[in-house]
Amino acid sequence: MLFRCAVPVTLVFALLAVPAPMPAADPPKPVDFERDVKPIFAKHCISCHGAEKAKSGLRLDRRANVLKGGDFGKVIVPGKSADSRLIVVVAHDDPDVRMPPKKQRLTAAEIATLQTWIDEGAKGPDDAIKVNPADWWSFKPLKKPVVPVSREPKVSAIDAFVQAKLKEKGLTPSPEASRRTLIRRLYFDLIGLPPTPEEVEAFVADKNPKAYEALVDKLLASPRYGERWARHWLDLVHFGETHGYDKDQPRPNAWPYRDYVIRSLNEDKPYNRFITEQIAGDVVYPGTVGGIEALGFLAAGPWDFIGHAEVPESKIDGKVARHLDRDDFVANTIGTFMGLTVHCAQCHNHKFDPIAQEDYYRLQAVFSAIDRTDKTYDADPIIGAKRAELEQKKKITTRLITAIEGDARKRSNDELTRIEQQLAEAAKPANSPKPPEFGYHSQLGAKQDVEKWVQVDLGASIKLDHVVIKPCHDDFNNIGAGFGFPLRFKIELSDDVTFKTGVVLIADETRKDFPKPGTAAYTAKADNKSARYIRATATKLAPRQNDYMLAIAELEAFDADGKNIAKGKAATALDSIEAGPRWRKSNLTDGLAPGGPKLAAPELAKLTERRDAIVKAAIGEKGVAELAELRAEITKTDAELAKFAGSKRTAYVGTIHTGGGAFAGTGATGKPRSIHILPRGDVTKPGKEVAPGAISSIPGINGTFSLPPNHTEGDRRAALARWLTDANNPLTWRVMANRVWQYHFGRGIVDSPNDFGKMGQFPTHPELLDYLASELREHQSIKKLHKLIVTSTTYKQVSTSNEANAKIDEDNRFVWRQNRRKLEAEAVRDSILAVAGKLDLTAGGPSFRDFIVEKPEHSPHYQYHLHDPEDVKSHRRAIYRFVVRSKQQPFMAALDCADPSLAVEKRNETLTPQQALAMLNNKLAVTMAKHFAERVEKFGTTDAERMTTAVRLALGRDPTAKERDALAVYAKEHGLANACRVVLNLNEFVFVD
Amino acid sequence: MNRRDFLIHSGGGLGSIALASLLGADRLLADAARRADGGLHHKPKAKRVVQLFMAGGASHVDLFDFKPELVKQHGKEADFGEKVEAFQNGLGPWLKPLWDFKPYGKCGKQLGEVVSPLGDVVDEIAFIHNMIGKTGVHSQGTLLQTTGFNRPGFPGMGCWASYGLGSANQNLPTFVVLPDHRGLASNGTKNWDSAFLPAQHQGAAIYPGTKTPIEDLFPDDRAKFITRDSDKAGIDLLTQLNREHATSRPGDERLDARIKSYELAAKMQLAAPEALDLSKETKETLKLYGLDHGKGTFDKEINPVEETDYFARKCLVARRLLERGVRFVQIWSGNDNGFPRRNWDSHEDVKRDHGPLAYGMARGAAALIADLKRLGLLEDTIILWTTEFGRMPSSQGGKGRDHNPYCFTNWLAGGGIKGGYTHGPSDAFGYKPADRKNPTEVYDVHATILHLLGIDHTKLTVRHNGIDRRLTDVHGHVIAELIK
């Protein structure tokens, strides 16, 4: 059916979209550039002299450029074809001179056309007039159309539009489907799960005429609805939970965005707010959780980790990586919300739509301050407010301390300043510059009292004299010496790699906070104990601004001869950020560490004493006491703040990134990077700098932002959000209304949902689309739109074909019946779990992982085949599956799930032997067949009864006697599990009428 | 206008078939669009392709692109005559080839000693020494060579070939990938995923010698309840029930197509193990591929016998698949760029890593070429050797070389390729193409291969998100000089 149904649609529209060539032998009329000349250039010349290449600076795709000529001058002289270089080269006999080189010659007739055109004055429509964007249906202002008058009294607006079109085409609508069909259709459509047999029977038996409407309301109010429809949205925005590219690292904090989308749909969040939050939630709705989590939209797509983390922006490769990154922001935003292929204007002006190359770079400038990164925020707004209050208090106290200290410095005639400088100098490491290999750095955590450890394997059990750990030095946050050194820790020895047996404790600093060591090394006596493994465990981590971590520069182990036998040995750790060369496990034993402080401890103490005396002399006892009190208050505030550390959540979003090394981001200032037009997208040839803005020539909305000179980067995103959600934006509402229709019917009113431009398709029902779009704009409610659609007579038609209609409109473009739905990968998987009685409906939170990761430290290997299908954690709905980019889940991929590396506006629908194999043999499918059998076993005493239950559960109906008997005979011979496997493979299980 | 014209003239070329991805329908439409001689746009010279991919960046100057100047200047400070951006710190002194070069074959092509097994078949090979990439980043370089784009989201070259040419044996996947069994290279399966093309054109990763060489080919081990009999009787029952269901829903060909997909699945269960079974291969053949070493285990350190076993075994499997109608086989050498090196990313020590990998590759590739020739298959099978980029002619201060996206080598053989030929020289050091204005890009190689397969690379397009996508983006020229 698809072959007859879907293909010709595409073809017909493709043909409609391409103007038919003019017959060659028309009565003489002036030769026209667009009509007559351009096709000749297109055939022979444009591949080298077009918008793409423009060899020798010559473009022949626009009349203005033909008149202008190339690098070497004019190519035509209007009125004088004989003097025109163009004619000379195309007509030349010498193949070395002739154009096009090495290709077919122009025919005599073609050359004659060119000559006539030139001789007639090289006329043609003005290019500027031609690109009038209002000429295209989707750019015209959105107005609510008048609903056609229908003779039927209770017909809905949708039905009126559809029926008018059917009448026009000579088609007749199909009858309403049975209640049994409707409930199954509605369940899969709205919540993506099968109805239980009880739900089916209750609905079928319900006498209330409003039963259908009540069912619609119930399903739209179900939390399962958001889980179903969020998947459609995540397809569009290409949401994934690993970076993709090389060394495909996981994004453990991507899931809050997924939950945000589910929540927003369930709450029926106004669509304009839904858009705004995803572009600029942090700016427009500050202090809200959704305002942060929504920014996961910007970070959803793939990201080149190596191109950022190992290559700085100063290098070409670094520039390319960041350009690709911004391209993804722009394409994702405009493609998702406006259905335009703006990214086509990266190298040149858009070939078909009114999008200038400058527009594209203006859009890049909107996002030029941000990167993809983790952002920590308060999951609970009340705690957030409390924290803000404490931080404010701390700020004020700090200010008071600074004032008193400043006063002290002044009163001491700067003696205090001098001694403070000496102290700071003395604490610095003795060796300078410090090596680029800073040390080991753990992953960041939200809690301080979590254990983290590092461990060195000496290769064999060796007698040890003492063990030394050395602190790091990093200017991050001006922390400097002692960066990441744990507040509490212990050092242990063992011959057991897991430290479960034979553990010898050689240093225990776990009972009270260890004073800040600066870069001074910590030494633990080992008393000639033998061990193969040495482990340093932090029991209280070092704080950063919003999180906690552990860093150690070097771990040394000395034998009796004073030789460091740990040097070069393998280091492992509970976790590690592995951002070489600065931070990686191997740095722990590389022999490189910042030197100790320049002054020894006793001298340092003397200096400190001296400083205290000066302070006292300057501000007196009272001043000293006041200072001490304020400092105590800071400690107290810090302690209170620490209590809230656990309430923090981290989300992977598009925001300002502050980092070290190559991936620095725009740092503390958040100043947007300057964006230049790149001819042909080449980062080495930046052209004119552009200001942030949007597409300039969409009628009705101003793409120029007119931001004040001192605007913030957030203002740019907020301006873009305003532009996207402007009521006069002709595309935003049409595009979304079309998507909603598409997911209900299997095909949009516009069958190119991500392209409403001139390469896209025409709507089959333009007025209906505008009606739905107007409804959306008016109410901003997606649920209202759902209800309008699914309660229509059009939606409720049967899906069976009829010959008379099929002859006219075989592919059902005009919706004279419902389309039979082939269930998507997620619906199939969730249904299998549901009928097997194993589906866990726990909502939200971190994704389940149905793979085992091997070699996580370098390039994680995502091994799906090692995962146990009985793992109950993986029995949640597919929307909660951890989505890996470098290796798709094989079962889901066989069933055409969306590839998270590209925007999927409409899924492919295939039927392949590999898909049959997956349904038959995949471990989850066969494991669930077994559970399905265990479940139905209890329902009856005969195989016939049990198989009746199985069919009811899986298909929502009773089996026919023939079906029941065939299944029972098979079950008797091969067992219930095999029979249940057959049921799960039925066409009826995956196709919904 | 008949259907074929309809398709070809619809602006989307074969693109429209993307929607008609049903088995029967796909074949019908695709066959209608194809010419009687198997080509899509013109008479093809080749029917099949084998792509050999060296993951990590194989060094052209040590293997195929002999630079006497490097030998002369060895150890001297590298002077590139311009500012060079290296990926790491690759601007140490000039480093001469790690292996001696000498001429082979009638053509007298200079090859590094480590790839000397290719000397026996060098007269079949055409080398391109002026390949350039876009960046020195592994992920982007790899994607560019496999899909024609330096970012994910585009179909692999094999997907396009499968899409354009269709299947010659429905019981086997059309596009087979033989990954390095030690791990996937940069981007994982993105290098062969079908992206916006229908799923049947996706590369099917096959791990020969394992229990389930193709994903889900046989029931999962945990399902003890499934026996051969229950399986067969189950599919019979399924077909019977599905037919009744389909009969009551006329006009939906998908329902019949799904029934057929189960028949094909059963056939694949028989065809795939047979295709992958090397036990019937003769001693001579095993010897040809270097698989007669008799070793069951290998040393811990990387070594040539083991690498030969891995790579040549995949080459032999490839030959068997090609014989049975598989259109496109992609063989990978090298896993992710981790440690210890089992890939070509020799920043530390070219001799240590490239040595065994290159020897194993050369043994396997040479055997494959010779074997295909013996069987008469070489004339319509293209072999493409490629990698994401080359390596710098300078060292990184020691024994390793940094990435060189500015210049590297590809070679092709068979399938209408002019053998014993060298195209597009690099400069005196192998740093950049000799003629910097006219380098060869992956688009040109892809265009040439599609051309040999009877496909005009500008016409094999698919509309996706409003853009007519093609393997060669908006670039590419057929390299006429490479064609016999």
Side-chain angles (χ1 to χ4, degrees):
Chain A
M1 187 206 77
L2 244 196
F3 127 59
R4 263 190 246 134
C5 124
V7 173
V9 185
T10 325
L11 296 180
V12 169
F13 278 103
L15 288 171
L16 284 179
V18 179
M22 295 296 287
D26 267 0
K29 55 178 160 183
V31 176
D32 179 79
F33 177 75
E34 286 295 324
R35 189 190 59 210
D36 308 315
V37 174
K38 208 167 148 185
I40 297 172
F41 287 153
K43 185 172 157 201
H44 298 282
C45 320
I46 299 292
S47 61
C48 293
H49 298 293
E52 292 292 344
K53 285 221 167 129
K55 279 198 178 168
S56 308
L58 177 64
R59 281 178 66 167
L60 298 175
D61 56 331
R62 292 189 298 201
R63 182 174 150 268
N65 291 84
V66 182
L67 292 171
K68 202 170 118 197
D71 296 343
F72 42 77
K74 302 249 186 228
V75 293
I76 61 166
V77 184
K80 293 178 188 169
S81 66
D83 296 345
S84 296
R85 192 182 169 114
L86 180 85
I87 299 299
V88 173
V89 295
V90 296
H92 212 283
D93 282 333
D94 182 351
D96 285 341
V97 179
R98 189 171 60 232
M99 284 284 166
K102 295 184 215 160
K103 273 173 68 179
Q104 204 190 342
R105 299 181 70 154
L106 271 67
T107 64
E110 286 168 335
I111 294 172
T113 303
L114 295 181
Q115 283 171 322
T116 312
W117 177 63
I118 296 169
D119 289 335
E120 286 174 359
K123 285 182 188 135
D126 192 76
D127 292 319
I129 292 167
K130 216 191 141 264
V131 269
N132 176 5
D135 275 354
W136 190 242
W137 71 270
S138 66
F139 300 132
K140 295 203 168 126
L142 174 62
K143 281 188 225 134
K144 197 166 188 170
V146 179
V147 180
V149 182
S150 170
R151 255 175 275 162
E152 313 262 335
K154 282 198 300 194
V155 104
S156 76
I158 291 175
D159 300 323
F161 285 115
V162 170
Q163 284 168 16
K165 193 63 111 182
L166 289 179
K167 204 172 160 208
E168 180 192 317
K169 302 282 168 189
L171 294 160
T172 50
S174 297
E176 184 169 314
S178 70
R179 280 204 169 178
R180 196 174 290 283
T181 300
L182 286 177
I183 184 174
R184 195 169 165 79
R185 181 186 294 169
L186 216 44
Y187 263 70
F188 277 111
D189 189 8
L190 293 181
I191 67 167
L193 290 168
T196 64
E198 295 73 30
E199 286 165 329
V200 175
E201 298 315 321
F203 179 65
V204 170
D206 195 339
K207 296 272 177 350
N208 187 344
K210 296 255 178 199
Y212 182 82
E213 214 185 312
L215 182 64
V216 170
D217 289 338
K218 180 185 121 179
L219 294 177
L220 285 176
S222 161
R224 309 283 85 80
Y225 154 78
E227 292 169 341
R228 161 73 169 169
W229 281 71
R231 190 55 255 174
H232 297 319
W233 190 259
L234 297 180
D235 278 16
L236 278 175
V237 307
H238 62 338
F239 172 77
E241 297 182 80
T242 65
H243 292 321
Y245 289 95
D246 193 7
K247 304 185 189 177
D248 187 23
Q249 295 291 326
R251 293 176 180 172
N253 302 313
W255 61 268
Y257 174 67
R258 177 249 290 145
D259 278 1
Y260 160 82
V261 175
I262 295 173
R263 207 165 60 233
S264 300
L265 290 168
N266 278 334
E267 288 169 1
D268 199 20
K269 179 170 281 169
Y271 184 57
N272 49 10
R273 176 161 182 164
F274 186 55
I275 297 174
T276 302
E277 286 179 340
Q278 294 180 73
I279 303 294
D282 55 335
V283 192
V284 183
Y285 303 101
T288 63
V289 173
I292 302 288
E293 292 178 346
L295 300 178
F297 163 79
L298 295 170
W303 182 73
D304 189 349
F305 169 68
I306 301 301
H308 284 79
E310 289 187 14
V311 191
E313 288 186 51
S314 54
K315 280 188 172 182
I316 295 166
D317 287 359
K319 287 188 177 76
V320 170
R322 283 153 185 89
H323 173 77
L324 286 175
D325 202 41
R326 280 191 297 275
D327 178 60
D328 187 74
F329 290 146
V330 172
N332 200 25
T333 302
I334 303 300
T336 300
F337 299 117
M338 298 256 295
L340 286 178
T341 55
V342 65
H343 43 290
C344 290
Q346 186 189 139
C347 303
H348 47 72
N349 293 338
H350 200 290
K351 279 188 174 174
F352 309 102
D353 296 328
I355 303 168
Q357 193 187 6
E358 182 165 348
D359 292 344
Y360 168 83
Y361 286 97
R362 276 150 54 114
L363 284 161
Q364 275 213 3
V366 172
F367 300 112
S368 66
I370 63 170
D371 283 285
R372 291 161 215 256
T373 188
D374 278 332
K375 186 177 174 81
T376 301
Y377 58 102
D378 277 295
D380 178 349
I382 297 169
I383 292 181
K386 181 86 186 140
R387 184 199 310 280
E389 192 185 302
L390 286 168
E391 271 164 1
Q392 182 60 24
K393 189 171 157 195
K394 188 173 163 184
K395 221 179 192 173
I396 293 166
T397 317
T398 310
R399 219 177 283 149
L400 289 171
I401 294 173
T402 314
I404 297 172
E405 284 176 343
D407 185 40
R409 279 186 205 109
K410 221 189 272 167
R411 284 166 190 265
S412 72
N413 287 330
D414 288 337
E415 199 187 343
L416 180 57
T417 312
R418 277 192 297 278
I419 203 148
E420 278 174 342
Q421 279 164 356
Q422 280 176 38
L423 264 169
E425 198 54 36
K428 278 191 184 163
N431 63 344
S432 182
K434 64 188 174 206
E437 293 84 2
F438 287 6
Y440 155 83
H441 189 311
S442 76
Q443 302 258 16
L444 302 173
K447 289 187 181 158
Q448 189 164 28
D449 52 356
V450 172
E451 288 196 3
K452 285 189 188 280
W453 52 262
V454 292
Q455 184 170 318
V456 174
D457 177 2
L458 300 175
S461 200
I462 298 171
K463 269 190 186 167
L464 296 172
D465 185 74
H466 63 283
V467 172
V468 172
I469 54 175
K470 291 183 170 170
C472 301
H473 189 283
D474 187 344
D475 291 327
F476 176 83
N477 253 350
N478 293 322
I479 293 175
F483 173 81
F485 199 79
L487 267 68
R488 298 185 188 193
F489 61 95
K490 60 185 175 181
I491 302 174
E492 296 164 316
L493 310 177
S494 178
D495 283 330
D496 173 8
V497 67
T498 64
F499 276 76
K500 283 187 183 136
T501 56
V503 177
V504 181
L505 182 71
I506 58 167
D508 185 1
E509 302 287 352
T510 61
R511 266 158 288 184
K512 62 175 184 3
D513 289 2
F514 188 76
K516 285 180 186 156
T519 51
Y522 178 91
T523 303
K525 284 202 178 119
D527 296 330
N528 268 333
K529 302 247 166 48
S530 285
R532 176 172 168 178
Y533 303 99
I534 306 162
R535 181 182 282 198
T537 307
T539 57
K540 187 174 180 187
L541 301 172
R544 298 198 328 159
Q545 247 168 340
N546 293 315
D547 40 34
Y548 303 96
M549 42 76 69
L550 163 69
I552 294 175
E554 192 77 9
L555 192 154
E556 297 168 342
F558 293 90
D559 61 12
D561 300 332
K563 190 180 160 221
N564 173 16
I565 44 178
K567 190 172 170 188
K569 295 286 160 52
T572 51
L574 179 72
D575 56 34
S576 168
I577 57 168
E578 290 304 291
R582 284 164 183 252
W583 300 111
R584 56 190 170 200
K585 290 189 294 275
S586 59
N587 286 351
L588 199 61
T589 50
D590 62 357
L592 298 171
K598 286 179 181 164
L599 278 187
E603 277 114 77
L604 266 176
K606 264 187 219 158
L607 268 180
T608 312
E609 228 170 78
R610 172 95 187 105
R611 181 196 60 193
D612 294 347
I614 297 167
V615 172
K616 197 170 162 186
I619 57 174
E621 290 275 6
K622 207 178 145 210
V624 171
E626 199 181 337
L627 208 49
E629 201 176 300
L630 288 168
R631 285 193 176 128
E633 201 166 313
I634 294 265
T635 312
K636 203 176 126 209
T637 313
D638 278 345
E640 276 183 66
L641 276 169
K643 276 188 226 153
F644 296 138
S647 87
K648 288 224 162 179
R649 198 192 270 173
T650 304
Y652 189 74
V653 297
T655 189
I656 301 291
H657 172 72
T658 308
F663 183 35
T666 51
T669 63
K671 189 169 170 273
R673 302 160 173 101
S674 62
I675 296 295
H676 300 259
I677 294 177
L678 304 178
R680 302 205 57 213
D682 186 346
V683 298
T684 63
K685 298 187 179 94
K688 178 185 144 189
E689 187 175 346
V690 297
I695 304 167
S696 49
S697 49
I698 305 273
I701 41 172
N702 187 356
T704 302
F705 291 167
S706 314
L707 295 167
N710 59 345
H711 69 267
T712 66
E713 75 84 22
D715 294 338
R716 297 178 173 200
R717 289 184 288 117
L720 179 62
R722 275 197 301 279
W723 183 80
L724 288 169
T725 56
D726 190 314
N728 293 322
N729 189 318
L731 285 157
T732 302
W733 324 110
R734 283 182 174 127
V735 165
M736 186 57 180
N738 185 60
R739 294 196 196 285
V740 174
W741 181 275
Q742 176 195 313
Y743 295 124
H744 283 303
F745 283 96
R747 178 170 45 227
I749 297 170
V750 176
D751 200 18
S752 55
N754 265 14
D755 187 11
F756 274 46
K758 291 182 182 170
M759 285 297 271
Q761 308 211 349
F762 290 108
T764 47
H765 301 78
E767 300 85 7
L768 172 58
L769 178 64
D770 280 4
Y771 175 82
L772 296 170
S774 304
E775 283 288 313
L776 176 62
R777 180 172 62 181
E778 193 178 326
H779 303 291
Q780 297 293 338
S781 164
I782 292 169
K783 282 193 180 176
K784 268 209 166 84
L785 216 49
H786 288 312
K787 196 164 174 189
L788 268 183
I789 293 171
V790 302
T791 56
S792 70
T793 307
T794 305
Y795 179 85
K796 289 193 275 188
Q797 297 175 98
V798 295
S799 59
T800 38
S801 184
N802 83 59
E803 271 185 45
N805 281 344
K807 259 186 202 150
I808 301 167
D809 177 25
E810 192 174 24
D811 22 308
N812 191 28
R813 286 162 54 217
F814 297 105
V815 217
W816 47 268
R817 61 175 170 87
Q818 179 56 277
N819 289 309
R820 184 169 293 117
R821 181 193 291 273
K822 179 169 182 277
L823 291 180
E824 307 83 352
E826 289 79 5
V828 171
R829 181 188 176 280
D830 290 352
S831 296
I832 291 174
L833 287 164
V835 301
K838 290 288 169 189
L839 183 65
D840 174 359
L841 287 175
T842 307
S847 303
F848 70 80
R849 301 179 178 211
D850 56 356
F851 49 79
I852 302 292
V853 176
E854 288 181 336
K855 310 197 176 177
E857 68 284 358
H858 188 273
S859 297
H861 294 197
Y862 298 94
Q863 306 287 34
Y864 294 95
H865 67 281
L866 298 178
H867 178 258
D868 179 3
E870 296 281 15
D871 170 16
V872 292
K873 286 200 288 295
S874 66
H875 295 167
R876 298 175 63 199
R877 293 196 72 177
I879 185 82
Y880 299 116
R881 182 174 65 86
F882 193 93
V883 181
V884 174
R885 278 184 225 273
S886 62
K887 200 172 173 190
Q888 292 208 73
Q889 213 280 5
F891 182 69
M892 303 299 280
L895 293 170
D896 300 318
C897 75
D899 180 340
S901 294
L902 58 146
V904 176
E905 84 282 26
K906 188 177 176 182
R907 290 202 183 174
N908 276 325
E909 194 181 276
T910 68
L911 288 162
T912 61
Q914 283 94 331
Q915 195 175 105
L917 289 169
M919 288 295 287
L920 281 170
N921 299 332
N922 180 270
K923 60 186 175 177
L924 183 76
V926 296
T927 303
M928 289 305 136
K930 198 181 74 189
H931 289 304
F932 188 17
E934 286 158 8
R935 186 179 183 195
V936 299
E937 175 129 44
K938 295 172 219 144
F939 287 90
T941 49
T942 65
D943 284 336
E945 283 167 11
R946 291 175 185 131
M947 290 323 292
T948 299
T949 304
V951 170
R952 277 184 192 152
L953 283 166
L955 310 178
R957 66 169 175 90
D958 281 345
T960 63
K962 199 173 155 199
E963 287 171 335
R964 182 196 61 208
D965 295 345
L967 283 163
V969 167
Y970 177 78
K972 184 152 188 273
E973 186 162 354
H974 298 288
L976 273 180
N978 274 302
C980 285
R981 179 176 177 236
V982 169
V983 172
L984 294 179
N985 277 277
L986 285 171
N987 274 1
E988 197 174 340
F989 187 68
V990 297
F991 283 101
V992 176
D993 286 334
Chain B
M1 188 181 276
N2 66 28
R3 181 181 283 140
R4 183 171 164 257
D5 291 340
F6 208 42
L7 284 164
I8 290 176
H9 297 295
S10 65
L14 261 188
S16 321
I17 292 177
L19 296 167
S21 46
L22 310 183
L23 293 160
D26 180 23
R27 268 178 75 78
L28 205 74
L29 279 168
D31 289 349
R34 263 166 229 133
R35 294 156 49 97
D37 56 26
L40 204 53
H41 306 115
H42 54 258
K43 188 168 188 273
K45 289 197 171 173
K47 293 181 181 147
R48 295 164 228 94
V49 182
V50 186
Q51 184 184 27
L52 312 174
F53 202 106
M54 309 301 120
S59 174
H60 54 303
V61 289
D62 294 305
L63 309 179
F64 303 117
D65 193 5
F66 182 46
K67 294 292 154 196
E69 197 61 25
L70 266 187
V71 180
K72 262 190 243 163
Q73 307 272 359
H74 177 70
K76 289 190 187 147
E77 190 186 331
D79 176 11
F80 293 89
E82 63 184 6
K83 185 180 173 287
V84 185
E85 259 186 22
F87 183 77
Q88 292 185 351
N89 54 345
L91 305 176
W94 296 123
L95 177 63
K96 69 177 181 186
L98 276 301
W99 291 276
D100 291 336
F101 275 69
K102 67 174 200 192
Y104 292 86
K106 281 190 212 136
C107 61
K109 177 71 184 175
Q110 295 269 359
L111 296 177
E113 191 203 336
V114 73
V115 292
S116 59
L118 282 166
D120 296 343
V121 292
V122 73
D123 289 327
E124 306 289 345
I125 299 178
F127 294 87
I128 308 171
H129 289 316
N130 65 346
M131 294 294 301
I132 59 161
K134 287 188 193 296
T135 64
V137 182
H138 287 292
S139 54
Q140 295 173 22
T142 306
L143 281 172
L144 185 64
Q145 297 301 315
T146 53
T147 72
F149 290 82
N150 64 343
R151 57 191 199 276
F154 297 88
M157 184 193 187
C159 308
W160 284 107
S162 162
Y163 179 64
L165 298 179
S167 167
N169 177 356
Q170 287 213 57
N171 301 335
L172 289 172
T174 317
F175 171 21
V176 168
V177 182
L178 301 168
D180 192 306
H181 54 283
R182 294 167 289 204
L184 303 179
S186 282
N187 318 304
T189 66
K190 288 298 110 200
N191 297 311
W192 59 80
D193 279 346
S194 57
F196 45 79
L197 294 180
Q200 67 265 38
H201 304 297
Q202 179 151 314
I206 290 188
Y207 291 89
T210 60
K211 220 164 155 191
T212 309
I214 300 178
E215 195 78 42
D216 295 327
L217 186 61
F218 301 110
D220 184 67
D221 275 351
R222 297 170 191 85
K224 302 270 184 260
F225 63 88
I226 303 169
T227 64
R228 190 170 294 191
D229 287 346
S230 80
D231 200 42
K232 195 183 169 306
I235 291 179
D236 288 346
L237 173 60
L238 179 68
T239 304
Q240 178 201 323
L241 298 175
N242 279 343
R243 281 208 194 292
E244 282 164 27
H245 172 263
T247 310
S248 61
R249 288 159 178 81
D252 191 342
E253 293 183 10
R254 296 175 301 170
L255 303 177
D256 299 317
R258 190 162 184 274
I259 294 169
K260 188 163 179 237
S261 73
Y262 279 80
E263 286 168 28
L264 286 173
K267 285 186 186 162
M268 196 177 281
Q269 287 180 324
L270 297 175
E274 189 279 331
L276 303 175
D277 179 9
L278 303 187
S279 68
K280 305 264 160 56
E281 293 291 339
T282 63
K283 267 188 194 162
E284 291 71 37
T285 304
L286 294 176
K287 191 168 174 219
L288 176 68
Y289 283 87
L291 298 174
D292 57 341
H293 51 71
K295 279 193 151 185
T297 54
F298 300 101
D299 299 341
K300 201 169 157 240
E301 296 303 316
I302 188 167
N303 62 83
V305 182
E306 185 178 14
E307 294 307 319
T308 301
D309 186 275
Y310 292 156
F311 195 81
R313 195 173 289 279
K314 293 185 181 89
C315 288
L316 179 51
V317 166
R319 191 217 76 207
R320 292 182 61 88
L321 291 167
L322 296 167
E323 281 178 305
R324 284 159 181 77
V326 170
R327 288 283 185 194
F328 198 108
V329 182
Q330 188 177 54
I331 303 177
W332 289 82
S333 166
N335 60 354
D336 53 75
N337 301 310
F339 303 93
R341 293 266 180 228
R342 290 296 183 269
N343 56 66
W344 299 74
D345 195 19
S346 295
H347 287 285
E348 304 82 12
D349 191 336
V350 174
K351 196 148 203 170
R352 182 194 65 195
D353 323 320
H354 266 53
L357 285 167
Y359 179 77
M361 176 278 294
R363 276 303 299 265
L368 179 61
I369 293 171
D371 204 11
L372 288 173
K373 187 161 191 185
R374 179 178 65 85
L375 294 165
L377 287 168
L378 186 62
E379 60 187 47
D380 55 4
T381 305
I382 305 165
I383 295 158
L384 165 65
W385 182 95
T386 189
T387 179
E388 63 255 48
F389 36 63
R391 307 207 76 88
M392 293 298 275
S394 50
S395 78
Q396 289 191 245
K399 303 179 208 165
R401 297 187 194 270
D402 205 341
H403 305 172
N404 184 0
Y406 313 113
C407 187
F408 58 102
T409 290
N410 271 188
W411 57 255
L412 296 103
I417 292 290
K418 193 195 289 174
Y421 172 70
T422 294
H423 180 78
S426 59
D427 63 18
F429 293 97
Y431 158 57
K432 277 189 178 178
D435 177 359
R436 293 185 180 188
K437 283 191 175 153
N438 291 294
T440 304
E441 293 188 80
V442 65
Y443 314 113
D444 307 321
V445 175
H446 284 173
T448 306
I449 291 176
L450 289 184
H451 174 80
L452 291 169
L453 293 170
I455 299 172
D456 178 340
H457 71 102
T458 64
K459 289 189 190 152
L460 183 68
T461 65
V462 164
R463 179 78 50 87
H464 173 66
N465 273 338
I467 302 170
D468 284 333
R469 290 295 187 191
R470 55 183 234 225
L471 175 61
T472 51
D473 198 357
V474 295
H475 314 286
H477 295 283
V478 174
I479 310 167
E481 297 90 326
L482 285 183
I483 298 172
K484 256 199 261 198

